[in-house]
Amino acid sequence: METLLKNTFLFLSKNRFANRTAKKYGLRLGAQRFVAGEQIMEAIAAVRELNNQGIVVTLDHLGEFIFTEEEAAELTDCCIRTLDEIASSGVNANLSLKMTQLGLDISRELCMQNMRKILDTASKHQIFVRIDMEDYAHNEISLAIFEELRKEYGTTIGIVIQAYLYKSEQDIDRLHAYRPNLRLVKGAYKEPAEVAFPKKEDVDSNYIKIIEKHLLNGDYAAVASHDDKIIEHVKKFAKEHQIPNSQFEFQMLYGIRTGAQQELAKEGYTMRVYVPYGNDWYGYFMRRLAERPANVGFVIKSMFKK
């Protein structure tokens, strides 16, 4: 049943009609549990609240299904405004973005032009920008773009590696030359067995492997997981190998395991919460339900709260 629900939510996440319909109802469908709001100032308020708990943040202005240069330009402006608001408000946050938001599916050149506008602003404000990894079809071009921009913008930029892909260990080796700041995740897209581990236990095993490899390389790791076993393993591994807490952080999603987030921060670990905002929240919301179908119960309850 859980597999059926997961596949259903992943299918719905790419349904354009459902996306348009969801926008009409806003966050009332239950997404407010996982999305900070539709406007930037709502997101800044959520960041400030988390900062007050000793938690740092990465902000993500949501956007999918981009088909025109005008849409890409609009989302680029949203990313730039997010950086400006982070700087002016003084909150402790960085920025995450998807390159398909910036026109990657229209042309590589358009995406690069928009990325450079964002990174110019980020460099001015000294704010870190993370390229989110998308589905396998965008994996290789995303890595190539990161390598090019890393040479231009240095440590201002980072990227994501997904443990469910067979190639991820090789990608860790490939990127080590750049001493990259990597967010390490299990992966949230539905991919064929030709490119990704189909079994959860294999994904978990590979996740541990790439975390350890990246840490032993001496590079900065953002370990994005809600799994207590993974978190405890990283803590123990870091102590055994004398890896300082300053070389890694834990990351979790907004609205999920808030108690655990606060506890990790109290223990002295850098705890970063991924806070999405914007009116194009539908695809993100469906993938969160797919990752953990039990979240459906929380959503149903929230829809009936007064």
Side-chain angles (χ1 to χ4, degrees):
M1 184 64 178
E2 184 171 328
T3 300
L4 176 62
L5 283 172
K6 178 177 181 178
N7 290 338
T8 299
F9 288 129
L10 287 174
F11 170 78
L12 289 173
S13 72
K14 297 182 179 181
N15 187 287
R16 296 172 189 172
F17 174 76
N19 183 47
R20 290 194 299 269
T21 302
K23 282 184 179 180
K24 294 181 181 179
Y25 293 93
L27 299 176
R28 288 173 293 169
L29 291 176
Q32 70 267 22
R33 178 181 174 84
F34 308 108
V35 179
E38 295 189 348
Q39 304 301 321
I40 178 60
M41 296 318 297
E42 294 175 291
I44 292 295
V47 175
R48 187 170 284 112
E49 183 177 346
L50 288 164
N51 286 172
N52 289 339
Q53 299 168 20
I55 295 170
V56 295
V57 169
T58 183
L59 274 173
D60 179 10
H61 182 269
L62 298 171
E64 300 187 32
F65 307 115
I66 300 304
F67 301 106
T68 69
E69 292 188 15
E70 290 74 21
E71 289 173 318
E74 181 180 349
L75 283 169
T76 299
D77 289 342
C78 286
C79 288
I80 290 172
R81 186 183 173 207
T82 300
L83 291 167
D84 288 338
E85 291 293 346
I86 290 171
S88 64
S89 65
V91 295
N92 191 334
N94 58 34
L95 175 71
S96 287
L97 54 80
K98 289 180 172 61
M99 289 191 293
T100 54
Q101 293 177 301
L102 311 180
L104 182 58
D105 288 340
I106 300 170
S107 77
R108 188 184 194 278
E109 291 71 26
L110 175 65
C111 178
M112 293 296 286
Q113 175 185 325
N114 289 331
M115 278 294 299
R116 288 190 174 99
K117 289 179 181 178
I118 292 167
L119 290 171
D120 285 343
T121 302
S123 296
K124 179 180 70 174
H125 294 314
Q126 296 184 316
I127 297 172
F128 180 78
V129 175
R130 174 93 59 193
I131 297 173
D132 278 339
M133 190 60 76
E134 302 181 64
D135 60 4
Y136 184 75
H138 296 94
N139 181 273
E140 195 59 35
I141 191 170
S142 296
L143 292 174
I145 287 174
F146 166 74
E147 289 174 311
E148 182 174 343
L149 293 174
R150 179 67 171 76
K151 293 172 184 175
E152 295 179 36
Y153 291 92
T155 56
T156 301
I157 187 169
I159 197 167
V160 176
I161 297 294
Q162 301 159 313
Y164 68 172
L165 297 179
Y166 301 135
K167 69 192 289 288
S168 291
E169 187 176 2
Q170 293 176 317
D171 290 337
I172 295 283
D173 291 332
R174 164 184 172 179
L175 297 179
H176 174 51
Y178 300 95
R179 305 309 304 270
N181 177 327
L182 299 181
R183 178 194 291 146
L184 305 175
V185 304
K186 291 183 182 179
Y189 293 86
K190 184 173 175 59
E191 303 290 0
E194 288 77 18
V195 301
F197 294 102
K199 295 181 180 179
K200 180 183 181 300
E201 56 265 33
D202 293 330
V203 176
D204 290 351
S205 176
N206 198 48
Y207 190 38
I208 290 293
K209 183 186 292 185
I210 65 171
I211 291 170
E212 292 180 353
K213 175 183 278 285
H214 192 56
L215 287 173
L216 290 176
N217 281 344
D219 299 329
Y220 192 86
V223 180
S225 178
H226 303 98
D227 187 330
D228 283 331
K229 292 181 180 178
I230 298 290
I231 293 168
E232 292 305 316
H233 180 91
V234 172
K235 290 180 182 178
K236 183 178 178 182
F237 184 83
K239 289 177 181 177
E240 289 176 349
H241 294 270
Q242 298 182 323
I243 295 168
N245 288 1
S246 58
Q247 194 190 317
F248 67 95
E249 66 186 48
F250 293 108
Q251 294 193 355
M252 293 188 188
L253 299 173
Y254 181 72
I256 299 178
R257 301 208 64 200
T258 55
Q261 295 170 10
Q262 294 166 10
E263 188 60 34
L264 284 166
K266 289 177 183 176
E267 291 175 9
Y269 294 101
T270 300
M271 178 69 240
R272 187 176 302 276
V273 172
Y274 182 96
V275 176
Y277 82 97
N279 67 349
D280 198 1
W281 49 266
Y282 173 77
Y284 174 86
F285 179 44
M286 288 294 108
R287 286 193 293 276
R288 297 295 75 77
L289 295 182
E291 284 178 346
R292 190 169 183 266
N295 286 330
V296 176
F298 293 120
V299 169
I300 292 173
K301 289 179 183 178
S302 68
M303 289 174 68
F304 290 97
K305 282 184 179 178
K306 293 183 180 180

Short mmCIF file of all heavy atoms in Angstrom, two decimals, residues 181 215 218-222 238 242-250 268-270 272:
data_model
loop_
_atom_site.label_atom_id
_atom_site.label_comp_id
_atom_site.label_asym_id
_atom_site.label_seq_id
_atom_site.Cartn_x
_atom_site.Cartn_y
_atom_site.Cartn_z
N ASN A 181 31.10 21.99 -1.15
CA ASN A 181 30.11 21.89 -0.09
C ASN A 181 28.92 21.15 -0.72
O ASN A 181 28.22 21.70 -1.57
CB ASN A 181 29.70 23.29 0.38
CG ASN A 181 28.62 23.28 1.45
OD1 ASN A 181 27.75 22.42 1.46
ND2 ASN A 181 28.64 24.28 2.31
N LEU A 215 33.27 12.99 3.92
CA LEU A 215 33.87 13.50 5.16
C LEU A 215 35.36 13.16 5.23
O LEU A 215 36.18 14.00 5.62
CB LEU A 215 33.13 12.92 6.37
CG LEU A 215 31.74 13.48 6.65
CD1 LEU A 215 31.05 12.69 7.76
CD2 LEU A 215 31.80 14.96 7.02
N GLY A 218 37.71 15.32 3.60
CA GLY A 218 37.95 16.61 4.22
C GLY A 218 37.05 17.71 3.70
O GLY A 218 37.29 18.90 3.97
N ASP A 219 35.99 17.33 2.97
CA ASP A 219 35.09 18.31 2.38
C ASP A 219 33.83 18.49 3.24
O ASP A 219 33.46 17.61 4.02
CB ASP A 219 34.71 17.88 0.96
CG ASP A 219 35.94 17.79 0.05
OD1 ASP A 219 36.89 18.56 0.26
OD2 ASP A 219 35.94 16.94 -0.86
N TYR A 220 33.16 19.63 3.05
CA TYR A 220 32.01 19.96 3.89
C TYR A 220 30.78 19.17 3.44
O TYR A 220 30.43 19.14 2.26
CB TYR A 220 31.70 21.44 3.83
CG TYR A 220 30.72 21.88 4.89
CD1 TYR A 220 31.14 22.23 6.17
CD2 TYR A 220 29.35 21.93 4.62
CE1 TYR A 220 30.24 22.63 7.15
CE2 TYR A 220 28.44 22.32 5.59
CZ TYR A 220 28.89 22.67 6.85
OH TYR A 220 28.00 23.04 7.82
N ALA A 221 30.10 18.55 4.42
CA ALA A 221 28.94 17.71 4.13
C ALA A 221 27.70 18.26 4.83
O ALA A 221 27.71 18.49 6.05
CB ALA A 221 29.19 16.28 4.60
N ALA A 222 26.65 18.47 4.06
CA ALA A 222 25.34 18.78 4.60
C ALA A 222 24.53 17.48 4.54
O ALA A 222 24.12 17.05 3.45
CB ALA A 222 24.66 19.88 3.80
N ALA A 238 32.03 10.73 12.96
CA ALA A 238 32.80 11.98 13.08
C ALA A 238 33.71 11.94 14.30
O ALA A 238 34.88 12.35 14.24
CB ALA A 238 31.86 13.17 13.15
N GLN A 242 37.80 11.88 14.26
CA GLN A 242 38.21 13.22 14.67
C GLN A 242 37.86 14.28 13.62
O GLN A 242 38.66 15.17 13.30
CB GLN A 242 39.72 13.24 14.98
CG GLN A 242 40.10 12.32 16.14
CD GLN A 242 41.57 12.38 16.46
OE1 GLN A 242 42.42 12.50 15.58
NE2 GLN A 242 41.91 12.30 17.75
N ILE A 243 36.66 14.14 13.08
CA ILE A 243 36.14 15.11 12.12
C ILE A 243 35.40 16.19 12.90
O ILE A 243 34.46 15.90 13.64
CB ILE A 243 35.19 14.43 11.11
CG1 ILE A 243 35.98 13.43 10.26
CG2 ILE A 243 34.50 15.47 10.21
CD1 ILE A 243 35.11 12.50 9.44
N PRO A 244 35.82 17.45 12.81
CA PRO A 244 35.19 18.51 13.62
C PRO A 244 33.75 18.78 13.19
O PRO A 244 33.39 18.61 12.02
CB PRO A 244 36.09 19.72 13.35
CG PRO A 244 36.69 19.45 12.00
CD PRO A 244 36.89 17.96 11.92
N ASN A 245 32.96 19.22 14.15
CA ASN A 245 31.57 19.57 13.84
C ASN A 245 31.47 20.68 12.80
O ASN A 245 30.44 20.81 12.13
CB ASN A 245 30.84 20.01 15.12
CG ASN A 245 30.57 18.85 16.05
OD1 ASN A 245 30.92 17.71 15.76
ND2 ASN A 245 29.94 19.14 17.18
N SER A 246 32.52 21.46 12.67
CA SER A 246 32.52 22.56 11.70
C SER A 246 32.61 22.06 10.25
O SER A 246 32.46 22.85 9.32
CB SER A 246 33.68 23.50 11.98
OG SER A 246 34.92 22.80 11.92
N GLN A 247 32.85 20.75 10.06
CA GLN A 247 32.97 20.20 8.70
C GLN A 247 31.66 19.62 8.18
O GLN A 247 31.57 19.19 7.04
CB GLN A 247 34.06 19.12 8.67
CG GLN A 247 34.50 18.73 7.25
CD GLN A 247 35.39 17.51 7.23
OE1 GLN A 247 36.29 17.39 8.06
NE2 GLN A 247 35.14 16.60 6.29
N PHE A 248 30.63 19.61 9.01
CA PHE A 248 29.36 19.06 8.54
C PHE A 248 28.20 19.70 9.28
O PHE A 248 28.37 20.35 10.31
CB PHE A 248 29.33 17.54 8.71
CG PHE A 248 29.33 17.06 10.14
CD1 PHE A 248 28.14 16.77 10.81
CD2 PHE A 248 30.53 16.88 10.84
CE1 PHE A 248 28.15 16.33 12.12
CE2 PHE A 248 30.54 16.45 12.15
CZ PHE A 248 29.35 16.17 12.80
N GLU A 249 27.04 19.52 8.71
CA GLU A 249 25.80 19.96 9.34
C GLU A 249 24.72 18.94 9.05
O GLU A 249 24.84 18.12 8.14
CB GLU A 249 25.38 21.34 8.81
CG GLU A 249 24.98 21.35 7.34
CD GLU A 249 24.70 22.76 6.81
OE1 GLU A 249 25.52 23.68 7.07
OE2 GLU A 249 23.67 22.93 6.14
N PHE A 250 23.66 19.00 9.84
CA PHE A 250 22.47 18.19 9.57
C PHE A 250 21.41 19.09 8.95
O PHE A 250 21.31 20.28 9.29
CB PHE A 250 21.94 17.56 10.86
CG PHE A 250 22.88 16.53 11.44
CD1 PHE A 250 23.60 16.79 12.61
CD2 PHE A 250 23.06 15.30 10.81
CE1 PHE A 250 24.46 15.85 13.14
CE2 PHE A 250 23.93 14.35 11.33
CZ PHE A 250 24.63 14.62 12.50
N GLY A 268 24.78 21.23 19.92
CA GLY A 268 25.93 21.94 19.38
C GLY A 268 26.23 21.66 17.92
O GLY A 268 27.24 22.13 17.40
N TYR A 269 25.35 20.91 17.27
CA TYR A 269 25.53 20.65 15.84
C TYR A 269 24.88 21.78 15.03
O TYR A 269 23.88 22.36 15.46
CB TYR A 269 24.91 19.32 15.45
CG TYR A 269 25.58 18.12 16.07
CD1 TYR A 269 25.03 17.50 17.18
CD2 TYR A 269 26.78 17.63 15.55
CE1 TYR A 269 25.65 16.41 17.77
CE2 TYR A 269 27.41 16.54 16.13
CZ TYR A 269 26.84 15.94 17.24
OH TYR A 269 27.46 14.85 17.82
N THR A 270 25.44 22.06 13.87
CA THR A 270 24.77 22.99 12.96
C THR A 270 23.54 22.28 12.39
O THR A 270 23.66 21.23 11.76
CB THR A 270 25.70 23.43 11.82
OG1 THR A 270 26.84 24.08 12.38
CG2 THR A 270 24.97 24.39 10.88
N ARG A 272 20.34 22.84 9.96
CA ARG A 272 19.78 23.72 8.95
C ARG A 272 18.44 23.16 8.46
O ARG A 272 18.34 21.97 8.14
CB ARG A 272 20.74 23.87 7.76
CG ARG A 272 20.28 24.93 6.73
CD ARG A 272 21.31 25.11 5.62
NE ARG A 272 22.62 25.49 6.13
CZ ARG A 272 22.98 26.73 6.41
NH1 ARG A 272 22.13 27.73 6.23
NH2 ARG A 272 24.20 26.99 6.86
#
